[in-house]
């Protein structure tokens, strides 16, 4: 999938014009794009696999009660040969891009925040509805 196809999917489903699009390097089984409109930024994930995002949507919905920074599922569906998922955009950079620039104090703070998040999500039964295959 190229950016042109992604723009068509986004504009036809979200009913917003794309001002800028950037293909992300993440996602081995998905096409992932950062979409900028005049209103906001979004993440568009596309896959040729049918029901590719069923488990993702279930997991994000379960995690949404934990008060942790996760994207909101805004739209999902099928467009042509692709399953798509439109998510809210969370501003930031991949930790792999910035880790070497962090001070020891900043690294320790991140570790504390990760532990706090793990404690918040540890009480959630991720397999309550159906078995979820965690492939993150």
């Amino acid at each position: 999938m190229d950016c042109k196809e992604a723009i068509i999917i986004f504009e036809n489903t979200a009913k917003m014009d794309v001002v800028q699009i950037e293909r992300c390097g993440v996602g081995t089984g998905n096409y992932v794009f950062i979409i900028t409109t005049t209103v906001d930024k979004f993440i568009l994930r596309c896959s040729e696999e049918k029901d590719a995002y069923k488990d993702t949507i279930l997991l994000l919905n379960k995690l949404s009660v934990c008060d942790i920074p996760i994207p909101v599922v805004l739209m999902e569906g099928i467009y042509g040969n692709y399953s798509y998922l439109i998510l809210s955009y969370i501003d930031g950079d991949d930790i792999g891009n910035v880790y070497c620039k962090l001070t020891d104090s900043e690294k320790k703070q991140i570790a504390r925040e990760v532990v706090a998040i793990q404690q918040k999500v540890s009480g959630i039964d991720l397999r309550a509805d159906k078995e979820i295959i965690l492939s993150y």
Side-chain angles (χ1 to χ4, degrees), residues 98-111:
V98 297
Y99 191 80
C100 63
K101 300 173 189 170
L102 299 174
T103 65
D104 287 344
S105 163
E106 291 169 324
K107 291 174 186 175
K108 286 177 185 176
Q109 180 59 34
I110 290 170

Side-chain angles (χ1 to χ4, degrees), residues 3-14 18 21 44 79:
C3 289
K4 187 175 180 179
E5 289 176 293
I7 290 170
I8 291 168
I9 291 172
F10 184 86
E11 289 185 342
N12 286 329
T13 57
V18 173
I21 185 168
L44 171 66
Y79 192 93

Side-chain angles (χ1 to χ4, degrees), residues 10 20 44 47 50 63-65 67 93 99-100 105 116:
F10 184 86
Q20 182 178 347
L44 171 66
S47 174
K50 185 179 178 189
L63 291 173
S64 68
V65 300
D67 189 34
D93 200 350
Y99 191 80
C100 63
S105 163

Side-chain angles (χ1 to χ4, degrees), residues 112-124:
R112 285 190 288 274
E113 291 176 21
V114 169
V115 168
I117 289 171
Q118 289 174 329
Q119 288 172 338
K120 287 180 181 181
V121 302
S122 66
I124 295 178

Side-chain angles (χ1 to χ4, degrees), residues 21-56:
I21 185 168
E22 176 186 344
R23 172 83 194 267
C24 298
V26 300
T28 56
N30 298 278
Y31 302 96
V32 182
F33 301 89
I34 299 173
I35 304 275
T36 304
T37 69
T38 56
V39 177
D40 213 344
K41 281 187 176 181
F42 303 90
I43 297 294
L44 171 66
R45 295 174 59 98
C46 297
S47 174
E48 293 177 291
E49 181 184 330
K50 185 179 178 189
D51 293 329
Y53 302 112
K54 185 176 87 174
D55 290 342
T56 301

